[in-house]
Each structure stands twice: as C-alpha cells, then as structure tokens.
Amino acid sequence: MTKANKVLFITQEITPYVPETELSLTGRNLPQAIQERGREIRTFMPKWGNINERRNQLHEVIRLSGMNLIIDDTDHPLIIKVASIQSARMQVYFIDNDDYFQNRLQATDENGEEYEDNDARTIFYARGVLETVKKLRWCPDIIHCQSWMTALAPLYIKKAYRDEPSFRSSKVIFSLYGNDFKQTFHPEFTNLLMLKGITKKDISILKDPINYTTLCKLAVEYSDGIIQQSPNANQEVLDYARSLGKPILEYQNDDNFADRCNNFYDLVSETE
C-alpha cells in the first residue's frame, strides 16, 4: 500500500472559480484525478475578490473561522469558506480576509498592476491554510504547493510547524509554473514572514531585491520534490533544485501527467 494516502493541495487558482489558465486547470483537474486514484485529498485556494460567492455557492465554515493572524503587528481575521464541485465530488476550501482578498482581484488589479501587498498576501495565505488544516485535525502525507503564492508554505511546514502533529511526517512538493511576478517584494518582507522556529539563517537566500526567482528558490530549498509544470518555468530555479539534488518531475506535455504525478508522490514519500 502506498505511504502517501492523504494529499493536501495548496494552489493559487482553480477553475471554475476563476478564469481558465494553465494553473487553474491543473488546480481543478489534478486533485480530482488523484482522488480517483484512491487517495484522500483536501484542496485550498485564496478567496479572490473576483469569485462570485452566490453563483459558486460558497459559505463560511464558522467552526474553522475566527482566528486572527498577526502580520506587521496587525491582527487580520482568518475567514474560511467552502464550496463543492459536484461533478468531481470535491470540496474546495477558501482562505479569505477583508484586507487581502475581499473586493480585490488576484495578483493584479483591474489595470493589470500588481498589488503592492502581494508579499503580505502570500504570508497570510500560507499561514491561513496551515492553521486551518490544524483545526481539521488532518495529517497529510504529501503537501503539493502550486505556484508562487504558495511559496512560503514549505518553509513554514519544515520550520515553524515542524512539531505540529498535522505536519510532522508530511513531505512537500512545489510546482513551478511560468507565471512570475515583476514587482519586487518590500525589503521588510523577511521581517514580516518570521514565526517562532524560523531564524534569519533559514531565509538567508532572500536577499534584496526579493523577486520571483529568490522566492521560488526558498520554496525549493524546503521542498522534498519539484514539479516543472510549464515549459517556460524559471530555469534558474530548476537549476537550483538540481544543485540541491531534489527529485524533479520534468515537464512533459502529454495526457499521462496525473499518473506521473501520482507516482511522483510515492517516490517523494519514500525519500529520506
């Protein structure tokens, strides 16, 4: 029997909640495919402001909501919502907050400008997912993080949450796409992301300017396996993963991705 029976998907986009992209299609189809192959799944995404809650039948999960996450000495309420994709028999959990997600679009605004607080949004999203999984009392064997908005999750899992029962035995996989961001993060980002269990040495790779490449390198450093999800994924980050000896599932444009990903979970779960 496979070791990796439970798979947590932390993703940036899932269709039909947001428009179809390479990322949102994978976010929609891969969890279903993995579930159909006999594994238990949980799936998370941000509750972007362009998601129509009524049409998609989102509702708040009161028992999971109510916590405050402190970022830059400010309390930010964590709101958890859920919806079902009936055709896939799949639930999707949404991380919401009035400051970071409500009434705001995804990484860019209506004019295509990147939000200046995307760095803080990455912190809130990663911590929000992990705190919610703790409340669910669920222990994933594999945590599959997809794209840069999830890039802090590997660090938090391996350092700040390493002794939590939900994550003590989890292996982390990070998927690289071609959807980079252009605006560098604020210099104080390294101070904002700090939690108990994380030292400045642990994030030494985050030197100014903190850009897409350095953020993804941080994710690679604390992941147990890497998936090249796009043909135009950042080559410098992939080379960094190879230099660290990380298992890599290379990009292949075929119909067998779900099977190859499914097998990769087992490979990573067995690595020391």
Side-chain angles (χ1 to χ4, degrees):
M1 178 176 288
T2 177
K3 291 182 180 179
N5 294 314
K6 299 178 180 179
V7 182
L8 170 63
F9 291 94
I10 309 176
T11 191
Q12 194 166 316
E13 301 175 11
I14 299 173
T15 189
Y17 304 111
V18 296
E20 289 189 4
T21 62
E22 180 182 42
L23 175 53
S24 69
L25 286 168
T26 303
R28 162 65 180 83
N29 296 324
L30 183 60
Q32 178 183 354
I34 296 304
Q35 181 174 252
E36 289 171 350
R37 283 158 177 77
R39 304 186 199 258
E40 185 181 338
I41 67 163
R42 296 287 188 277
T43 305
F44 283 80
M45 72 173 288
K47 213 298 289 178
W48 304 114
N50 58 335
I51 296 174
N52 188 309
E53 295 193 37
R54 178 173 295 182
R55 182 191 310 138
N56 292 293
Q57 299 182 333
L58 273 67
H59 61 271
E60 185 175 350
V61 186
I62 302 299
R63 69 184 179 88
L64 297 176
S65 298
M67 176 183 296
N68 284 345
L69 302 183
I70 300 174
I71 301 175
D72 196 20
D73 297 324
T74 303
D75 282 351
H76 298 275
L78 174 61
I79 302 167
I80 310 301
K81 295 173 181 175
V82 70
S84 296
I85 301 177
Q86 298 294 345
S87 60
R89 290 182 295 175
M90 186 173 91
Q91 275 193 328
V92 177
Y93 291 93
F94 297 84
I95 299 297
D96 200 2
N97 171 266
D98 288 349
D99 298 321
Y100 292 133
F101 300 115
Q102 194 67 256
N103 301 319
R104 301 173 70 192
L105 303 183
Q106 292 166 244
T108 60
D109 63 19
E110 296 88 344
N111 300 315
E113 298 292 327
E114 293 176 357
Y115 289 107
E116 288 192 4
D117 63 349
N118 275 344
D119 45 8
R121 296 167 99 198
T122 66
I123 296 170
F124 185 87
Y125 179 50
R127 289 178 56 188
V129 171
L130 301 181
E131 289 294 340
T132 304
V133 173
K134 277 174 53 181
K135 280 192 173 184
L136 288 169
R137 298 176 182 264
W138 196 65
C139 303
D141 303 301
I142 292 287
I143 301 174
H144 189 167
C145 304
Q146 300 192 54
S147 196
W148 64 264
M149 183 62 71
T150 73
L152 289 180
L155 167 71
Y156 285 147
I157 292 162
K158 297 295 185 176
K159 292 294 180 177
Y161 290 77
R162 64 186 302 173
D163 294 325
E164 293 288 346
S166 289
F167 307 111
R168 197 174 292 150
S169 302
S170 299
K171 294 295 180 74
V172 183
I173 292 172
F174 182 67
S175 278
L176 268 172
Y177 288 79
N179 62 332
D180 62 347
F181 55 86
K182 310 303 180 189
Q183 185 172 290
T184 57
F185 283 1
H186 291 114
E188 66 269 21
F189 176 66
T190 53
N191 294 322
L192 296 182
L193 67 82
M194 298 299 285
L195 286 178
K196 183 179 179 182
I198 300 175
T199 67
K200 287 292 186 180
K201 183 179 179 181
D202 296 329
I203 58 172
S204 59
I205 199 169
L206 291 180
K207 295 182 174 64
D208 284 338
I210 301 169
N211 56 23
Y212 173 85
T213 300
T214 55
L215 182 67
C216 288
K217 281 184 176 180
L218 179 73
V220 164
E221 192 170 333
Y222 291 100
S223 294
D224 301 289
I226 308 300
I227 296 177
Q228 182 185 353
Q229 206 87 42
S230 304
N232 60 335
N234 187 292
Q235 196 59 51
E236 185 177 340
V237 178
L238 287 169
D239 288 343
Y240 182 65
R242 294 186 184 100
S243 74
L244 297 177
K246 304 284 183 177
I248 299 176
L249 181 59
E250 306 280 356
Y251 177 78
Q252 294 178 38
N253 186 18
D254 58 37
D255 295 329
N256 298 320
F257 172 69
D259 285 325
R260 291 187 293 109
C261 196
N262 196 47
N263 294 334
F264 191 64
Y265 292 161
D266 287 335
L267 172 68
V268 170
S269 72
E270 292 165 2
T271 58
E272 294 298 327

